[in-house]
Amino acid sequence: MLTQTAAGRAYDFSHSVGIPGISGPSFYCPVGVAIGEGDVVYVLCRGIEGILGGRPMVPNGYAARVSKVTIGMVPGDEEFVDEFGSYGEGEGQFIWATGIAMDSHKNVYVTDEWLNRVSVFDGDGKFLSQWGTAGSGDGEFNRPSGIAIDREDNVYIVDSLAHRVQKLTKEGKPLAKWGSFGSRAGQFNSPWGICVDGQGDVYVADYKNHRVQKFSPDGAFQVQFGGTQGNGPGELDRPSGVTVDPDGDVYVCDWANNRVQVFEPDGTPITSFIGDAQELSLWMKWMVDANPDAQKARRRVKSLEPSWRFAFPTGAIFDPVKSRLLVTDTERGRLQIYSKVREYAEAQFNL
């Protein structure tokens, strides 16, 4: 369904952007997205990793990186700009890159699960600093995943295997923390994604508790979304990402259900998106047009519909300026984009 109307809202599928690939105009395992200035978008590509001798290794150079692209409002109006980051433990390198966010100066922050640190770059990809180390103390991490930054440039990081959230300065100095292992309100079980709304409230995707929890900026529990494992309306299965629009509507990447669910601010489910990329993205079209075998393969399949759908969407962000939702369709190597349409009206047809 390309256009959905539900509970007084209207959502319209716009287009997809991307193609799986290891460099250039492509995304390999995109897990996070951040909004820059104008049409600029930063996509965090986790790459692919394996384990050899107890340490991560990257087969065939499929390393994590940040892709900088511009994305306009219409299909085809996108352009690859640059990429930065590479595999390794040195400055500006990643092993298991996981979360991405931007501060008020448009600097880019990337969490690394394996290295238990945050790397900071300017908007052009120049490495600026890094902070964090492994441990359970304040300012230390045990597999940091999601990251969000509020209007005062306070940094919130999901300390996933410590089952907590840490609030820090943009230089990494501890300010506050909350959470412990469990399933009660305010507790976590391997939390993953995080975001901050316009009022400074914090939302955490509580991965193995199958819910999203909302907190005040200092960690006071307010409300939860989901909480029941399943695939019905309002149920979640391994939620991995969360974002909020200016109206307070909450978008949750329902990872294991291959969908994004939309909730009202009080937790009432509104609708869900399952992926609607019926038209090829610009970069995918280039590849298919240049490859006769790919064209033949597409014509042989019974239905192309499975390729339209999400495959383990991991992260999302709502762009308030353009009133659109960008979702990392992780296993498909692309973004899918939905617009929240203002003043939507349906024409009256007499049939």
Side-chain angles (χ1 to χ4, degrees):
M1 187 182 303
L2 295 175
T3 301
Q4 295 189 46
T5 57
R9 286 91 162 161
Y11 298 100
D12 189 52
F13 178 76
S14 178
H15 62 295
S16 66
V17 174
I19 181 177
I22 61 175
S23 64
S26 62
F27 308 135
Y28 204 93
C29 197
V31 293
V33 57
I35 303 297
E37 293 183 306
D39 289 340
V40 172
V41 174
Y42 297 86
V43 181
L44 178 62
C45 300
R46 188 174 172 92
I48 187 171
E49 63 274 327
I51 298 292
L52 180 65
R55 288 188 55 79
M57 50 91 61
V58 176
N60 301 320
Y62 285 71
R65 67 183 190 274
V66 177
S67 293
K68 181 179 179 180
V69 299
T70 58
I71 302 177
M73 292 298 293
V74 297
D77 188 12
E78 59 255 20
E79 183 178 352
F80 173 79
V81 177
D82 200 0
E83 62 186 33
F84 53 91
S86 62
Y87 177 79
E89 300 183 20
E91 293 184 343
Q93 293 185 311
F94 316 120
I95 300 292
W96 287 355
T98 310
I100 186 169
M102 299 195 72
D103 67 16
S104 63
H105 301 286
K106 301 304 179 183
N107 294 319
V108 180
Y109 295 65
V110 178
T111 56
D112 191 310
E113 279 189 284
W114 185 264
L115 297 175
N116 292 295
R117 73 184 185 194
V118 176
S119 296
V120 187
F121 305 83
D122 70 13
D124 294 323
K126 178 184 176 182
F127 174 78
L128 298 178
S129 64
Q130 63 188 34
W131 42 265
T133 187
S136 58
D138 294 348
E140 298 177 335
F141 303 113
N142 187 358
R143 298 293 192 261
S145 51
I147 180 171
I149 302 176
D150 67 18
R151 291 179 176 178
E152 285 73 44
D153 282 342
N154 298 309
V155 180
Y156 297 82
I157 293 179
V158 176
D159 200 1
S160 187
L161 293 192
H163 313 288
R164 66 180 180 177
V165 172
Q166 292 200 64
K167 179 180 180 180
L168 310 104
T169 68
K170 63 181 181 180
E171 293 81 20
K173 296 179 180 179
L175 296 173
K177 62 184 177 182
W178 68 87
S180 61
F181 178 75
S183 58
R184 297 194 302 271
Q187 295 184 315
F188 303 112
N189 187 351
S190 302
W192 188 263
I194 190 169
C195 75
V196 179
D197 69 15
Q199 286 68 51
D201 292 323
V202 181
Y203 301 71
V204 181
D206 194 359
Y207 185 77
K208 290 187 178 179
N209 280 328
H210 314 291
R211 65 185 179 184
V212 167
Q213 296 191 72
K214 178 183 178 182
F215 301 90
S216 72
D218 294 318
F221 172 80
Q222 296 183 4
V223 68
Q224 77 171 28
F225 307 79
T228 300
Q229 184 178 18
N231 58 14
E235 297 176 335
L236 299 170
D237 193 350
R238 300 293 200 272
S240 57
V242 58
T243 189
V244 183
D245 71 20
D247 302 318
D249 291 338
V250 181
Y251 305 81
V252 181
C253 289
D254 194 359
W255 186 81
N257 282 324
N258 297 304
R259 66 182 179 182
V260 174
Q261 286 207 70
V262 189
F263 294 85
E264 293 187 13
D266 64 358
T268 302
I270 298 173
T271 189
S272 61
F273 310 136
I274 60 173
D276 292 281
Q278 297 182 23
E279 301 293 332
L280 293 176
S281 70
L282 175 65
W283 303 340
M284 180 64 79
K285 190 174 187 301
W286 289 347
M287 187 277 288
V288 172
D289 288 349
N291 189 333
D293 289 335
Q295 297 173 33
K296 292 176 183 177
R298 288 177 59 81
R299 295 177 67 87
R300 288 197 304 267
V301 299
K302 183 177 180 180
S303 172
L304 291 170
E305 184 170 348
S307 69
W308 308 347
R309 305 309 185 196
F310 286 126
F312 301 107
T314 304
I317 193 167
F318 194 92
D319 182 347
V321 175
K322 296 180 172 63
S323 191
R324 64 183 183 181
L325 176 74
L326 290 77
V327 182
T328 58
D329 194 358
T330 303
E331 292 299 307
R332 305 286 192 200
R334 66 189 177 192
L335 302 176
Q336 293 207 45
I337 302 172
Y338 289 83
S339 297
K340 188 175 188 181
V341 183
R342 306 293 180 181
E343 300 180 358
Y344 180 81
E346 294 186 10
Q348 180 65 47
F349 292 100
N350 295 319
L351 302 178

